[in-house]
Amino acid sequence: MDFELNQPHSSLIPPIDFRALLNEEQFNAVTAEPGPLLVLAGAGSGKTRTLTYRVAYLLSQGVKPSEILLLTFTNKASKEMLHRVQDLTGIEPQRFWGGTFHSLGHRALRIYGEAIKLTRNFTILDADESESLLKQTVESVDKTFFKDKTHPRPGPLFNVLSLARNTQLNINVTVTENFPQYEDIKHRFQAFADNYAKRKQEQNVVDYDDLLELWLKLLTEAPEVAAYFGQRFRHVLVDEYQDTNTLQAQIVDKLAPHHRVMAVGDDAQCIYSWRGADFENIMTFQHRHPGTVIHRIETNYRSTPEILELANAVLLAQPVGRHFEKELRAARGHANKPYVVQTMDEREQAEFLLKRIRALTEDEGVSANEIAILYRSHFLALEVQLALSRAGIPYQITSGVKFFERQHIRDLVALVRFVYNPSDTQAWQRIAVLLPKVGEKGAQKIHAAALDHGRMMQKNFLDALSTDDVKSKVAKDARDDWENFCVSLRQVAEVMQTGTPAAVMETAIDGWYGDYLKGAYADYVERLDELKAMIGFAGRFEEMQDLLAQIVLLNGETSDRQVDPNAEAIKLTTVHQAKGLEFDIVFVVGLADGQFPGRRSIEAGDVEEERRLFYVAVTRARNELYLCYPKVATRAGPGGMLLQPSRFLMEIPGDLYDPLRIKRSFGW
């Protein structure tokens, strides 16, 4: 096909002046000759616009809608892109094969799955059903597996197997690299995975991951189907290519044997390895598709030149040969340099944010909706949430729930509350139901039995829990855990008699609940960090009653119920959740080694994804950027722990930012 620009427009669509509507970089990518194309679209450079106009351009050159395959990661992105195409060309979205990898995999399997012996009437398990079937499978192999509280429960176990499937890695390797808490039992997981797959086949069902695995199998083992797709889809377009996992990249390669594929992405924004994204996919694209032409879209319409200069410095610090060269250029005029803010500790960091936010909203007319506070991990936002709540400044957590409302935080607090006051039946019920096969009614019966036995035998309530009479009321599946549960409660009680509230929290985490956490959550390590933040918070208090009272009061203060959903509010979010968003003012907090980059990355000797995460954080800002770090981590205990500024800050030349020094008596 002739792709000269002077080719007459297709009669299907109205004329479009691509040169007038696109900048030079976008125009060159949109109108590029067919073949393998890698479009490196920097932050804020108009990636979606480029991809949308590429579709419109292909249509203008006579390509039929049915010959274009558009792969995205979210249905929202697919719909947005195809509706933009419709606005440009008048062609309805349903005339394209466009959607997520999983939705298009389902479509392909429903039509052609019989080629790999998948009957057309297969059904898809939802997440709960998948976990339930896996549970049944594991228990058919080992009835006692889930009785051990340190073993992963069905949900976390499914997450382990899912990550291994999507990355196409050995399960043992997957556990070692991502789930160290299961290292001792990883050798058992392959048998579970094999039996789970067999059961799905027997029942003619597939799970979410099968939609990718079986699609790849279809393209690999049914050459006639693969040939059909290769001939039908003359052009394959992939959005956010840097986020593809191993399965998805292999599917793209199989769908495009003609190499007429356009992959749009940014290696500098590859930050999702923990959910399977493989950085190597974008780095090796040109090797898998010989003759790849690389287009760089580097004109940024979002941020000031000063912010982009700092962002470019972050990229320059990457190891040679491990990234694509790029340099963001601002389309906007000059403004203030980013600020680096050193504070004594997390509390002072929060106070600085509070004062600056008040000045921005009250004196400078900035909308609260245009202010974001970004952090690497949830525990880094505790002090910020407390400061904003006390000041009555509305805020919204856009990544999960507020700190004191997170399940594991509420569990820990309930355990300590119960030990402090064994008559607190609400606290008891929350922790008792965490035991296997103990429901609300069972928890009530156990509590009543312990109360009666304690009165009759003149025993302390916690001691009464350990008696045979009370144990007989415990569900059989929970009895193996019961002794450790009771021992842990007594240990917490002993420390509560003579130790500090911080010591009490630490003891509670180190005991039965810490073991429970290993089995309950695949992201155990991250949640454990959040629990440890409670140790530092408890270090502020000398008396347990004051700590518990303050937690309840703060929980009420920080509750979403206290915020008018229609009111303007500061946005608090992890950097991962902030990708794709932008704000006038951005504060990045906790920029200390061990916090950002995280401790695990430093210990592993690989901080490159953390550096890319930092790059994503700084490129969220339009007008002002504040990079904040504490000198002392109070979460380590009353004495604190000295911190070093993030190595990412140290890599930035000093002339690219202005230091903001705290004057503790006079503001800053």
Side-chain angles (χ1 to χ4, degrees), residues 156-171 173-175 177-179 209 213 245-247 272-277 522:
L157 179 59
F158 186 88
N159 290 340
V160 173
L161 303 185
S162 176
L163 185 61
R165 294 168 68 187
N166 281 281
T167 57
Q168 297 288 277
L169 289 175
N170 176 279
I171 290 176
V173 174
T174 300
V175 171
E177 293 183 353
N178 300 279
F179 307 98
D209 295 326
E213 280 196 311
N245 61 37
T246 304
L247 279 175
Y272 296 118
S273 66
W274 50 274
R275 67 185 190 194

Side-chain angles (χ1 to χ4, degrees), residues 579-601:
K579 185 175 175 291
L581 306 177
E582 57 186 69
F583 306 90
D584 285 348
I585 315 293
V586 168
F587 298 88
V588 187
V589 300
L591 281 168
D593 263 14
Q595 297 184 349
F596 198 167
R599 172 177 49 84
R600 288 182 68 192
S601 298

Side-chain angles (χ1 to χ4, degrees), residues 375-391:
Y375 36 87
R376 173 65 181 86
S377 303
H378 288 286
F379 73 84
L380 297 172
L382 171 58
E383 294 294 344
V384 176
Q385 292 183 40
L386 296 179
L388 293 174
S389 296
R390 287 165 174 160

